[in-house]
Amino acid sequence: MKKSVKDLGEIKGKKALMRVDINVPLDADKNVTDDTRIQAILPTVNFLKEKGAKIILMAHLGRPKGEKNPEFTLAPVAKYLSKVLGEDVMFIPDVADAPKMVEDLKEGQVALLENIRYYKAEEAKDDDMTFANELAKLGDFYVNDAFGAAHRNHTSTAKLAKVLKPAVSGLLMEKELRCLSQALDNPTRPFTAVVGGAKVSSKIGVLENLIDKVDNLIIGGGMAYTFVKANGGKIGNSICEDDQLEVAKAIEKKAAEKNVKLVMATDVLVTDDFSGNGTNKFVKIDEIPDGFEGVDAGPDSRKAFADVLKSSKTILMNGPVGAFENPAFAEGTKAVLAAIVEATKAGATSVIGGGDSVSAAKKFAKAEDFTHVSTGGGASLEFIEGKILPGVAALDDK
């Protein structure tokens, strides 16, 4: 367990240097179009404000590649944050100006540093701690609330925590780690994982780690066709990784050895036009005609998935079961999410992790319908794989 802001003693008047993930989408006029990530850090910001700390936020926006590029400035985000907090957020345009500017902060006041990825040293792969030491001078203690960037071994996410102590998690980071750890390490059974997405290759680690932990494993989305082909089925023009056929067989074998029930689609919606405007029809998953590709789970599969989910006590979803971005191919993913919502209402613990699953959950349900919707795409994926996240490892242990 890592220490959190709740484990800090008296911090009134002290400077909290806090890494956050507010990499939010902006429109052409630089207006924030989705403030989910901003809302997610407010509990920690407000906690520190109430304790009388001075708060200096660090964050990135996009990929400016170590150069000052006005396209990626955090200035509009500072303006938006001011509106949300109902008070002026001090914007610090350059790390060089920061020491002097933070001296003027009052207790409970918030400042935001310009895009931390404007500096090459932020993403440097070396052991040089110069930039970390420069940043460390701005705070009396370090808080990491950026779970979405916790899998990055960068200066502001990992190196800084080694030189600025105490180094603790924020309330969001604490919740992410608690919910994901609880689902993976101490689940109420039966425990079901839904793993979807296009490629087996990107989810091998996830599948292998989950087989050691779950009772049921639902495999959906494009990756299912690699399994079907590995078993001699006809998949037409469906997405398939021919170099992963042996991996698919090995995963099936391991699941059988571990007594894990593998639940695959039996029928699918296929199309001859991915835009959805061609011929769409339901067929058996291993009898897809040439010229057609599978794009969604069929009605029998949806029911089978839902039945397993509704009888589960812990559910982890990582990846959709169809090309849900197109409304014509979204019914399978909708059905899976509806079943998870129903199970959650009946007392199950549900955790949604991974970028596409989170997008689908937001599109077809509400965040409060689930126990936890993760804010970290890549980070939650690596956590589910059982990898060590540098941004978490660097924090102080309880």
Side-chain angles (χ1 to χ4, degrees):
M1 287 291 284
K2 295 294 178 180
K3 280 188 178 168
S4 90
V5 285
K6 292 186 289 201
D7 299 309
L8 295 167
E10 180 59 58
I11 53 172
K12 189 175 163 62
K14 291 191 172 171
K15 295 194 289 285
L17 187 57
M18 177 169 155
R19 177 59 159 102
V20 291
D21 179 19
I22 45 176
N23 186 20
V24 291
L26 302 170
D27 65 16
D29 299 320
K30 298 291 180 202
N31 297 309
V32 174
T33 56
D34 179 354
D35 74 348
T36 307
R37 287 179 168 172
I38 289 171
Q39 294 296 334
I41 65 161
L42 294 181
T44 310
V45 171
N46 288 325
F47 177 89
L48 293 168
K49 281 168 72 66
E50 282 157 24
K51 296 275 182 192
K54 303 169 179 181
I55 303 142
I56 302 117
L57 303 176
M58 296 173 292
H60 73 274
L61 186 73
R63 296 179 187 271
K65 299 189 175 145
E67 287 171 6
K68 294 179 180 179
N69 180 341
E71 190 192 333
F72 298 108
T73 178
L74 276 168
V77 181
K79 203 165 110 187
Y80 188 89
L81 198 53
S82 301
K83 202 168 74 185
V84 171
L85 291 171
E87 60 189 67
D88 272 346
V89 168
M90 179 194 284
F91 183 63
I92 303 173
D94 198 296
V95 168
D97 307 327
K100 195 171 178 323
M101 289 182 77
V102 300
E103 286 312 313
D104 297 334
L105 279 176
K106 296 174 180 62
E107 289 178 6
Q109 197 182 348
V110 180
L112 174 62
L113 269 177
E114 179 57 285
N115 196 335
I116 200 74
R117 287 189 183 170
Y118 275 10
Y119 305 91
K120 277 200 165 52
E122 162 66 1
E123 297 186 54
K125 299 273 192 285
D126 54 39
D127 294 327
D128 188 344
M129 300 297 273
T130 312
F131 190 46
N133 287 320
E134 190 184 341
L135 290 171
K137 289 177 189 154
L138 304 178
D140 297 309
F141 60 95
Y142 172 78
V143 180
N144 192 341
D145 216 19
F147 180 72
H151 59 312
R152 309 268 184 218
N153 193 9
H154 293 169
T155 297
S156 67
T157 56
K159 287 183 186 175
L160 187 51
K162 292 173 185 155
V163 292
L164 180 56
K165 297 290 184 184
V168 300
S169 70
L171 302 175
L172 172 65
M173 175 76 88
E174 184 185 42
K175 186 185 179 206
E176 291 274 10
L177 297 174
R178 186 181 68 246
C179 290
L180 284 163
S181 299
Q182 208 173 342
L184 289 168
D185 302 328
N186 192 19
T188 310
R189 298 193 178 274
F191 176 16
T192 300
V194 180
V195 181
K199 295 183 170 180
V200 175
S201 53
S202 62
K203 297 281 173 93
I204 293 169
V206 169
L207 291 166
E208 293 194 331
N209 196 32
L210 287 173
I211 284 174
D212 288 329
K213 299 174 186 292
V214 300
D215 302 296
N216 308 298
L217 183 55
I218 295 173
I219 293 181
M223 63 198 290
Y225 305 107
T226 300
F227 284 85
V228 175
K229 187 168 180 180
N231 287 300
K234 282 187 63 184
I235 60 164
N237 294 21
S238 304
I239 186 169
C240 178
E241 293 172 286
D242 288 332
D243 60 341
Q244 300 293 326
L245 298 177
E246 290 308 312
V247 172
K249 296 289 279 183
I251 287 166
E252 286 182 340
K253 184 168 177 274
K254 187 178 174 187
E257 285 164 4
K258 297 268 180 184
N259 252 346
V260 171
K261 185 181 176 189
L262 266 192
V263 188
M264 300 262 194
T266 51
D267 62 334
V268 283
L269 178 68
V270 297
T271 186
D272 59 359
D273 179 357
F274 197 71
S275 71
N277 298 322
T279 303
N280 303 334
K281 59 183 181 179
F282 294 110
V283 299
K284 285 191 171 152
I285 196 166
D286 53 0
E287 293 175 9
I288 299 174
D290 292 340
F292 283 81
E293 60 182 313
V295 285
D296 195 13
D300 294 345
S301 306
R302 292 171 205 165
K303 187 181 180 310
F305 294 168
D307 287 346
V308 172
L309 290 164
K310 286 178 199 170
S311 65
S312 303
K313 290 282 175 253
T314 303
I315 299 164
L316 178 66
M317 180 176 179
N318 187 272
V321 299
F324 75 92
E325 297 84 353
N326 185 330
F329 311 143
E331 292 307 315
T333 300
K334 269 191 204 169
V336 163
L337 286 163
I340 297 174
V341 170
E342 196 176 315
T344 310
K345 282 183 180 148
T349 297
S350 56
V351 178
I352 312 286
D356 287 339
S357 310
V358 171
S359 303
K362 278 192 209 158
K363 196 169 177 178
F364 304 127
K366 296 193 290 290
E368 52 270 27
D369 291 335
F370 309 97
T371 309
H372 182 61
V373 177
S374 180
T375 55
S380 61
L381 192 66
E382 291 195 15
F383 193 92
I384 296 165
E385 280 184 56
K387 288 184 179 171
I388 303 237
L389 306 182
V392 176
L395 299 174
D396 298 347
D397 291 319
K398 274 204 186 198

PDB file of all heavy atoms in Angstrom, residues 81-94:
ATOM      1  N   LEU A  81     -10.151  25.743 -15.317  1.00  0.00           N
ATOM      2  CA  LEU A  81     -10.017  25.317 -13.920  1.00  0.00           C
ATOM      3  C   LEU A  81     -10.421  26.453 -12.971  1.00  0.00           C
ATOM      4  O   LEU A  81     -11.047  26.226 -11.927  1.00  0.00           O
ATOM      5  CB  LEU A  81      -8.570  24.878 -13.669  1.00  0.00           C
ATOM      6  CG  LEU A  81      -8.251  24.016 -12.462  1.00  0.00           C
ATOM      7  CD1 LEU A  81      -9.117  22.775 -12.390  1.00  0.00           C
ATOM      8  CD2 LEU A  81      -6.779  23.614 -12.454  1.00  0.00           C
ATOM      9  N   SER A  82     -10.082  27.687 -13.346  1.00  0.00           N
ATOM     10  CA  SER A  82     -10.480  28.860 -12.548  1.00  0.00           C
ATOM     11  C   SER A  82     -12.002  28.918 -12.427  1.00  0.00           C
ATOM     12  O   SER A  82     -12.551  29.175 -11.351  1.00  0.00           O
ATOM     13  CB  SER A  82      -9.985  30.162 -13.192  1.00  0.00           C
ATOM     14  OG  SER A  82      -8.580  30.150 -13.309  1.00  0.00           O
ATOM     15  N   LYS A  83     -12.658  28.644 -13.559  1.00  0.00           N
ATOM     16  CA  LYS A  83     -14.128  28.677 -13.592  1.00  0.00           C
ATOM     17  C   LYS A  83     -14.700  27.579 -12.678  1.00  0.00           C
ATOM     18  O   LYS A  83     -15.621  27.809 -11.896  1.00  0.00           O
ATOM     19  CB  LYS A  83     -14.591  28.472 -15.042  1.00  0.00           C
ATOM     20  CG  LYS A  83     -15.987  28.991 -15.339  1.00  0.00           C
ATOM     21  CD  LYS A  83     -16.269  29.037 -16.838  1.00  0.00           C
ATOM     22  CE  LYS A  83     -16.495  27.626 -17.383  1.00  0.00           C
ATOM     23  NZ  LYS A  83     -16.654  27.612 -18.852  1.00  0.00           N
ATOM     24  N   VAL A  84     -14.128  26.375 -12.776  1.00  0.00           N
ATOM     25  CA  VAL A  84     -14.613  25.230 -11.991  1.00  0.00           C
ATOM     26  C   VAL A  84     -14.421  25.473 -10.491  1.00  0.00           C
ATOM     27  O   VAL A  84     -15.292  25.166  -9.681  1.00  0.00           O
ATOM     28  CB  VAL A  84     -13.891  23.925 -12.429  1.00  0.00           C
ATOM     29  CG1 VAL A  84     -14.225  22.779 -11.493  1.00  0.00           C
ATOM     30  CG2 VAL A  84     -14.295  23.547 -13.851  1.00  0.00           C
ATOM     31  N   LEU A  85     -13.266  26.033 -10.130  1.00  0.00           N
ATOM     32  CA  LEU A  85     -12.959  26.250  -8.706  1.00  0.00           C
ATOM     33  C   LEU A  85     -13.594  27.534  -8.157  1.00  0.00           C
ATOM     34  O   LEU A  85     -13.646  27.745  -6.951  1.00  0.00           O
ATOM     35  CB  LEU A  85     -11.444  26.298  -8.488  1.00  0.00           C
ATOM     36  CG  LEU A  85     -10.677  24.969  -8.671  1.00  0.00           C
ATOM     37  CD1 LEU A  85      -9.175  25.211  -8.651  1.00  0.00           C
ATOM     38  CD2 LEU A  85     -11.055  23.957  -7.598  1.00  0.00           C
ATOM     39  N   GLY A  86     -14.036  28.405  -9.087  1.00  0.00           N
ATOM     40  CA  GLY A  86     -14.652  29.665  -8.656  1.00  0.00           C
ATOM     41  C   GLY A  86     -13.640  30.650  -8.096  1.00  0.00           C
ATOM     42  O   GLY A  86     -13.975  31.514  -7.289  1.00  0.00           O
ATOM     43  N   GLU A  87     -12.382  30.518  -8.519  1.00  0.00           N
ATOM     44  CA  GLU A  87     -11.327  31.458  -8.099  1.00  0.00           C
ATOM     45  C   GLU A  87     -10.194  31.414  -9.115  1.00  0.00           C
ATOM     46  O   GLU A  87     -10.073  30.453  -9.884  1.00  0.00           O
ATOM     47  CB  GLU A  87     -10.794  31.074  -6.718  1.00  0.00           C
ATOM     48  CG  GLU A  87     -10.190  29.695  -6.665  1.00  0.00           C
ATOM     49  CD  GLU A  87      -9.867  29.243  -5.237  1.00  0.00           C
ATOM     50  OE1 GLU A  87     -10.805  29.035  -4.451  1.00  0.00           O
ATOM     51  OE2 GLU A  87      -8.691  29.115  -4.940  1.00  0.00           O
ATOM     52  N   ASP A  88      -9.385  32.449  -9.127  1.00  0.00           N
ATOM     53  CA  ASP A  88      -8.302  32.519 -10.112  1.00  0.00           C
ATOM     54  C   ASP A  88      -7.236  31.463  -9.858  1.00  0.00           C
ATOM     55  O   ASP A  88      -6.709  31.347  -8.749  1.00  0.00           O
ATOM     56  CB  ASP A  88      -7.640  33.908 -10.093  1.00  0.00           C
ATOM     57  CG  ASP A  88      -8.365  34.873 -11.030  1.00  0.00           C
ATOM     58  OD1 ASP A  88      -9.167  34.373 -11.842  1.00  0.00           O
ATOM     59  OD2 ASP A  88      -8.127  36.086 -10.942  1.00  0.00           O
ATOM     60  N   VAL A  89      -6.919  30.702 -10.906  1.00  0.00           N
ATOM     61  CA  VAL A  89      -5.790  29.770 -10.853  1.00  0.00           C
ATOM     62  C   VAL A  89      -4.601  30.494 -11.479  1.00  0.00           C
ATOM     63  O   VAL A  89      -4.698  31.006 -12.598  1.00  0.00           O
ATOM     64  CB  VAL A  89      -6.109  28.462 -11.630  1.00  0.00           C
ATOM     65  CG1 VAL A  89      -4.859  27.621 -11.831  1.00  0.00           C
ATOM     66  CG2 VAL A  89      -7.174  27.664 -10.888  1.00  0.00           C
ATOM     67  N   MET A  90      -3.510  30.567 -10.729  1.00  0.00           N
ATOM     68  CA  MET A  90      -2.316  31.241 -11.244  1.00  0.00           C
ATOM     69  C   MET A  90      -1.675  30.380 -12.329  1.00  0.00           C
ATOM     70  O   MET A  90      -1.390  29.205 -12.102  1.00  0.00           O
ATOM     71  CB  MET A  90      -1.314  31.447 -10.093  1.00  0.00           C
ATOM     72  CG  MET A  90      -0.014  32.113 -10.522  1.00  0.00           C
ATOM     73  SD  MET A  90       1.264  31.961  -9.228  1.00  0.00           S
ATOM     74  CE  MET A  90       0.720  33.167  -8.040  1.00  0.00           C
ATOM     75  N   PHE A  91      -1.470  30.951 -13.524  1.00  0.00           N
ATOM     76  CA  PHE A  91      -0.827  30.185 -14.596  1.00  0.00           C
ATOM     77  C   PHE A  91       0.651  30.560 -14.652  1.00  0.00           C
ATOM     78  O   PHE A  91       0.997  31.736 -14.719  1.00  0.00           O
ATOM     79  CB  PHE A  91      -1.514  30.473 -15.936  1.00  0.00           C
ATOM     80  CG  PHE A  91      -0.948  29.670 -17.073  1.00  0.00           C
ATOM     81  CD1 PHE A  91      -1.031  28.283 -17.069  1.00  0.00           C
ATOM     82  CD2 PHE A  91      -0.304  30.291 -18.143  1.00  0.00           C
ATOM     83  CE1 PHE A  91      -0.493  27.528 -18.109  1.00  0.00           C
ATOM     84  CE2 PHE A  91       0.226  29.550 -19.187  1.00  0.00           C
ATOM     85  CZ  PHE A  91       0.135  28.161 -19.168  1.00  0.00           C
ATOM     86  N   ILE A  92       1.511  29.560 -14.613  1.00  0.00           N
ATOM     87  CA  ILE A  92       2.966  29.788 -14.627  1.00  0.00           C
ATOM     88  C   ILE A  92       3.496  29.394 -16.004  1.00  0.00           C
ATOM     89  O   ILE A  92       3.569  28.210 -16.335  1.00  0.00           O
ATOM     90  CB  ILE A  92       3.665  28.972 -13.514  1.00  0.00           C
ATOM     91  CG1 ILE A  92       3.063  29.342 -12.145  1.00  0.00           C
ATOM     92  CG2 ILE A  92       5.165  29.184 -13.541  1.00  0.00           C
ATOM     93  CD1 ILE A  92       3.544  28.482 -10.984  1.00  0.00           C
ATOM     94  N   PRO A  93       3.859  30.398 -16.836  1.00  0.00           N
ATOM     95  CA  PRO A  93       4.173  30.106 -18.236  1.00  0.00           C
ATOM     96  C   PRO A  93       5.499  29.365 -18.460  1.00  0.00           C
ATOM     97  O   PRO A  93       5.713  28.804 -19.524  1.00  0.00           O
ATOM     98  CB  PRO A  93       4.197  31.483 -18.909  1.00  0.00           C
ATOM     99  CG  PRO A  93       4.375  32.466 -17.813  1.00  0.00           C
ATOM    100  CD  PRO A  93       3.850  31.854 -16.557  1.00  0.00           C
ATOM    101  N   ASP A  94       6.392  29.366 -17.463  1.00  0.00           N
ATOM    102  CA  ASP A  94       7.695  28.740 -17.650  1.00  0.00           C
ATOM    103  C   ASP A  94       8.240  28.258 -16.305  1.00  0.00           C
ATOM    104  O   ASP A  94       8.078  28.951 -15.291  1.00  0.00           O
ATOM    105  CB  ASP A  94       8.666  29.749 -18.272  1.00  0.00           C
ATOM    106  CG  ASP A  94       9.879  29.075 -18.892  1.00  0.00           C
ATOM    107  OD1 ASP A  94      10.653  28.449 -18.128  1.00  0.00           O
ATOM    108  OD2 ASP A  94      10.043  29.150 -20.122  1.00  0.00           O
TER     109      ASP A  94
END
